[in-house]
Amino acid sequence: MAESLRQRIIELLVEDRRIDRKKLEEVLKSSKSDPRNLGQLVKQGLIRQQDLLSTLSKGLQIPPINLARYQIDPALSKLVPERMARQYRLVPVSKMSNCLSVAMADPLNVLALDDLTTLTSLQVTPVIASEEDVNAAIQQLYRSDAGPLQETAQPESSSEEEKSESEEEPVGGEQQEIVDLTPFGIVGKRAPVVKIVDAMILEALKARASDIHLEPEEKDVRVRYRVDGDLLEAFRFPKRLQNSITTRLRIMARLDITENRLPQDGRFRVRVENREVDFRVSSLPIGFGNKIVMRALDKSNLSVGLEKIGLLPDSLAAFQKAVSRPFGMILVTGPTGSGKSTTLYSVLAQMNEPGRNILTVEDPVEYQLDGITQVQVNPGIGLTFSNALRAFLRQAPDVVLVGEIRDGETADIAVKASLTGQIVLSTLHTNDAATSITRLVDMGVDPFLLSSSLIFVAAQRLCRQLCPQCKEEESVKPEVLKKLNLVLPQGKQLYRSQGCLSCQQTGFHGRFAILEAMLVDDPIREMIIAKRPPDLIKAYAVEHGMRTLRQEGLEHCLLGRTSVEEVLRVTSDE
């Protein structure tokens, strides 16, 4: 039967002109898996997922389903055990009377259908879906940590007993240094609100959220996660839980729970499986309570070095060349949220070795790194960027990181420090690389000293990466390509976002850095001394190999990493 089924699928795919017969037979012949499992065709790029599903549905007379647009009732998880769902790659989608419909990556798995029929005593009807969508739906339906959140997301109960339980004091005893968010830690004997907070944080980390926003409103509390730069609403808490949840978070962050009139900042650390994640917490009093924003700072993202940030080879080579210099100033510029600090931390992680004395002055200290001396500014007692830098020079540093150059005094000390044998890393808020030179001169830095110290400037933006599961080909009009000065090489294809379960319908999964990398050479030094305008410096750099932010982004489009629309969103006209 397997051989006849194999031949039938081959004929269907060839008849529909979905794939070349010879290529298909080669893949199926070399596959060691079940001949009905054609997922390897998609993985090898021989056919699109939707085309494969369409052909299989037509030939096997089994209806398809787009799980990405289907809301599954959580109660169905009680009918099909998670172990069986994962083993057979299936997920229940609906139950009507004595009929249970299940979405399957392999709808002809008779053993799975028989086992499910025996278990549920229901008539099981299969529908076909992609393996990626089935796996994502299983993950959504059987999240072991979602229980506390789902319970609290329900409308308020009139039961006095339930209300009393939810409002009991959430925290007692001494505050722990690190909160354990392993499944065993959440399921243990903890107060209900503690479990809710822990589950919320764990779910946010699994969703790859960089920030968690708790926003009290008139009738409830909205919770949003920032994923790949965009805020997505996760769920809402009943108003009755607001005080308990915010109090729990403020205790974890070691804030003053008796002060509700002033903004406060704190931090805490959680352990998830084999990694630890720091959270920076900000509490802000608003009309309906205290809004709390928690930023996740995962040090595991920094230990990889510059190679894993996603830079193109030319930009990476320029950055590495600058980092290898024995002294000088390296600047990363861009607006807030463009990943400047993360890039510099990645440089520090790469340079961090026993033979180097590395010191940082920051406001605030975001990532706490072993082996590096980190100082947080405190203007209230006179510990400013400039004062800390003066003290650093008496500590014989090899590498100095200044979180941000905000004034002329800090800029002047940083420039002079880079001339006395140190590598100085810092950030500025400018739109492109060349403008940072003018900005420093305007702050009062001597152009001659700046030309001698500055070795590299990078303007940076963060670009969202297309979800590999659902991105689709895009046809861009020739006049648009001409306007962008983008030549599409033979065989290259542009892509756009679509949206699926894997990417939570956003069409994107992860972000990467695009860089306008400018190495300072002798002609640029002469232009700095002569106080040439930034557009002339930029024109020279582009003429000698530097790509602008938009050009860099369009190169990533040609690699299929992002869309033209996304590049236009994060870069300006040039």
Side-chain angles (χ1 to χ4, degrees), residues 313-324:
D314 292 345
S315 300
L316 176 61
F319 213 144
Q320 295 283 28
K321 183 177 180 180
V323 171
S324 66

Side-chain angles (χ1 to χ4, degrees), residues 529-542:
I529 295 173
K531 296 185 178 181
R532 299 298 184 194
D535 55 339
L536 291 182
I537 297 176
K538 184 173 184 177
Y540 166 82
V542 170

Side-chain angles (χ1 to χ4, degrees), residues 77-143:
S77 63
K78 298 179 181 179
L79 292 177
V80 181
E82 180 180 0
R83 177 190 57 79
M84 179 177 287
R86 294 188 183 279
Q87 178 183 351
Y88 292 131
R89 291 175 296 142
L90 58 84
V91 63
V93 292
S94 69
K95 178 182 178 296
M96 297 183 64
S97 186
N98 68 332
C99 182
L100 176 66
S101 295
V102 293
M104 304 178 66
D106 181 6
L108 290 180
N109 190 333
V110 179
L111 179 61
L113 295 174
D114 288 345
D115 285 354
L116 198 54
T117 299
T118 302
L119 176 69
T120 62
S121 300
L122 298 172
Q123 180 182 345
V124 180
T125 303
V127 292
I128 190 170
S130 70
E131 184 172 353
E132 291 77 11
D133 281 358
V134 169
N135 289 336
I138 290 173
Q139 187 66 23
Q140 289 279 349
L141 188 60
Y142 295 98
R143 285 180 299 186

Side-chain angles (χ1 to χ4, degrees), residues 293-342:
V293 176
M294 298 175 282
R295 166 168 285 190
L297 305 170
D298 189 353
K299 288 187 289 188
S300 64
N301 296 330
L302 305 179
S303 59
V304 293
L306 285 171
E307 292 80 2
K308 301 297 182 181
I309 294 178
L311 304 181
L312 294 175
D314 292 345
S315 300
L316 176 61
F319 213 144
Q320 295 283 28
K321 183 177 180 180
V323 171
S324 66
R325 298 279 183 87
F327 62 88
M329 176 179 281
I330 296 174
L331 295 176
V332 180
T333 76
T336 300
S338 59
K340 305 184 297 296
S341 297
T342 302

